Amino acid sequence: MNNQVIRENPKISIGMPVYNGAKYIREALDSLLGQTFTDFELIISDNASTDDTEAICREYAVKDQRIRYVRQAQNLGAGSNFKFVLDEAIAEYFMWAAADDVWDKNWIEKLLPVSVEGQCIAFGMLITIDENSQQIQHPANKRQLSFTGQKMFRRMKYFLEPSILGKPNPIYGIYPKKYLTTNILDILAWDQYGLDMLFLYRLLADIEIRNVSEVFLYKRIDSNFFNLKENLNFKGSRKIMPKIIKSCLRLIYRRFCQIFQFTKMSSIPETIIYILLTPFILIQDFFCAVAIYLKIVLHR
């Protein structure tokens, strides 16, 4: 039986969709439950995990009544699981939480007032960590992800930002729940690369993304996050560069496909500008990716 304890009128709901997250979920739960801001509910939707996720979550749910654990009978898919935790949320403000991340203990305390006052997505800054929770080099580390101002300006700024610099991550910020409407959430069910970025771009038509530089989300990514793990064994070898170029070209192809999706959600003036800027964007992203990949390889 699922744990169905529902807190009355929490200030914020946290939704944690998870599938086979046993390796890191204890660290994630300890980080959330140790927040200095305590008036929240935590909804965990277990997407029919086959590892020890269920046992761990039930253990925590017994110890902390803020947790509501739901185990799905079958895997819903990632997008539907994201939507499920939102649909279950009862608070006015909402935050998604990945089951392998870690948060500064005052993450909610610092971000929630910004979201409430500005009616915006409030997000902190990133530190990228590896499987052992050690900081690793990443271009998004400590980068300000702020997209504010007039609607067309903030959307254009987001559009132009290379994805490799961390712009998908504000999806894990704090939202006024009223802006997360069904038609916007439907984007998460699309069969398209970069749904998190398309989702945020659509939301930027309604609200800003504001940055708070005082707190960090420790975002866990695999050591081969650029699909270059095999390249790192060839330091100093001529085999590195062709593989880096291949990885960059793959990224550029995805970016090109994503531009088409962006234009489908844009006004006519925005679309014209984006089409005209497409060659510049692809060249910019390519050289940005090459520079970053080389830096990662050379510093291993």
Side-chain angles (χ1 to χ4, degrees):
M1 181 179 297
N2 295 326
N3 177 30
Q4 294 294 333
V5 174
I6 299 178
R7 288 171 53 81
E8 292 186 6
N9 302 317
K11 186 66 176 178
I12 182 172
S13 297
I14 303 172
M16 179 181 282
V18 58
Y19 174 72
N20 285 353
K23 185 174 182 181
Y24 303 115
I25 197 169
R26 287 185 183 275
E27 190 174 1
L29 291 175
D30 288 341
S31 178
L32 290 172
L33 298 175
Q35 289 288 304
T36 53
F37 185 92
T38 60
D39 185 16
F40 63 82
E41 64 166 351
L42 172 56
I43 305 153
I44 305 173
S45 177
D46 181 353
N47 217 356
S49 294
T50 58
D51 63 0
D52 292 333
T53 296
E54 178 178 8
I56 295 170
C57 291
R58 292 194 184 281
E59 172 193 332
Y60 274 78
V62 169
K63 294 188 296 185
D64 197 313
Q65 294 300 301
R66 292 175 295 179
I67 297 176
R68 183 151 43 106
Y69 171 74
V70 179
R71 178 174 173 83
Q72 304 297 339
Q74 59 186 13
N75 194 300
L76 305 176
S80 295
N81 208 25
F82 263 72
K83 185 176 184 299
F84 178 86
V85 291
L86 176 65
D87 290 341
E88 290 290 305
I90 63 173
E92 292 183 55
Y93 292 86
F94 181 80
M95 175 183 116
W96 277 296
D100 55 355
D101 288 345
V102 181
W103 298 260
D104 273 345
K105 64 181 181 179
N106 56 346
W107 176 265
I108 300 176
E109 177 187 345
K110 293 293 185 181
L111 295 188
L112 183 56
V114 175
S115 183
V116 172
E117 181 179 352
Q119 288 299 287
C120 63
I121 302 171
F123 187 72
M125 301 183 79
L126 288 174
I127 293 290
T128 307
I129 58 175
D130 63 14
E131 299 97 323
N132 301 311
S133 300
Q134 298 299 307
Q135 181 176 341
I136 59 177
Q137 289 196 3
H138 192 286
N141 283 355
K142 299 183 180 180
R143 183 174 179 82
Q144 287 198 352
L145 296 168
S146 179
F147 303 92
T148 60
Q150 193 271 340
K151 179 176 76 171
M152 185 172 176
F153 173 78
R154 66 184 183 245
R155 277 160 60 94
M156 186 176 298
K157 182 181 177 184
Y158 189 83
F159 173 82
L160 292 172
E161 179 87 354
S163 58
I164 202 170
L165 298 182
K167 75 177 184 183
N169 291 287
I171 197 170
Y172 293 107
I174 292 180
Y175 304 73
K177 185 171 176 279
K178 64 184 179 182
Y179 291 103
L180 298 173
T181 58
T182 300
N183 66 319
I184 294 177
L185 288 170
D186 285 344
I187 294 171
L188 297 176
W190 291 359
D191 183 17
Q192 171 69 35
Y193 166 75
L195 292 178
D196 43 10
M197 291 176 277
L198 295 170
F199 173 80
L200 289 171
Y201 178 76
R202 171 58 187 84
L203 269 173
L204 281 167
D206 303 322
I207 55 177
E208 297 179 330
I209 299 175
R210 296 188 183 179
N211 177 256
V212 178
S213 60
E214 304 170 25
V215 287
F216 290 90
L217 165 63
Y218 298 89
K219 188 69 184 170
R220 195 185 308 273
I221 56 178
D222 196 79
S223 60
N224 63 340
F225 61 97
F226 286 139
N227 296 319
L228 292 174
K229 187 174 183 179
E230 68 276 17
N231 295 326
L232 302 182
N233 297 321
F234 296 100
K235 185 174 180 180
S237 168
R238 286 178 296 178
K239 296 181 179 180
I240 292 177
M241 201 61 194
K243 292 184 178 182
I244 289 179
I245 296 298
K246 184 178 179 180
S247 294
C248 291
L249 289 175
R250 187 184 303 116
L251 183 148
I252 296 307
Y253 171 74
R254 290 176 175 175
R255 173 72 145 155
F256 180 79
C257 295
Q258 189 185 73
I259 287 173
F260 174 71
Q261 293 296 331
F262 270 98
T263 60
K264 289 169 64 176
M265 294 188 290
S266 301
S267 65
I268 293 176
E270 286 172 330
T271 299
I272 292 172
I273 292 171
Y274 296 164
I275 291 173
L276 291 174
L277 289 176
T278 292
F280 165 77
I281 293 166
L282 297 179
I283 293 170
Q284 168 197 260
D285 282 19
F286 178 80
F287 284 105
C288 179
V290 169
I292 290 166
Y293 289 171
L294 282 173
K295 183 177 180 181
I296 291 167
V297 171
L298 295 175
H299 282 79
R300 292 293 292 187

